[in-house]
Amino acid sequence: GIIPRPAADNLFQVLASSANNGLGIGLWLCRYILEKNSAQIMYEAIEPDISRFTLKIPLYQSTKRS
């Protein structure tokens, strides 16, 4: 389902949760790990009942330094 707008604005913030249980670090941790590896996670409300999370992960990242 759709994530309410106030919650969606803070979706990737640490300790921000609208759930009754949990720590509120899950999506923040996902984003942190992805960004440390040159990747991205995004949230988008598509229709009134449809949400989409998109991951952009690089196929190759050179570790050589010149």
Side-chain angles (χ1 to χ4, degrees), residues 15 22 28 34-35 37 40 51 54:
L15 303 178
W28 172 84
L34 288 165
E35 288 181 351
N37 290 283
Q40 296 177 309
S51 297
T54 304

Side-chain angles (χ1 to χ4, degrees), residues 18-63:
S18 61
N20 293 333
N21 56 15
L23 299 175
I25 63 170
L27 286 173
W28 172 84
L29 185 58
C30 289
R31 185 179 197 181
Y32 178 82
I33 292 168
L34 288 165
E35 288 181 351
K36 290 294 181 185
N37 290 283
S38 302
Q40 296 177 309
I41 184 171
M42 295 156 284
Y43 168 78
E44 181 180 12
I46 305 296
E47 293 178 18
D49 313 358
I50 300 172
S51 297
R52 174 171 47 203
F53 285 90
T54 304
L55 299 175
K56 291 187 177 182
I57 302 170
L59 294 176
Y60 174 78
Q61 180 179 359
S62 174
T63 57

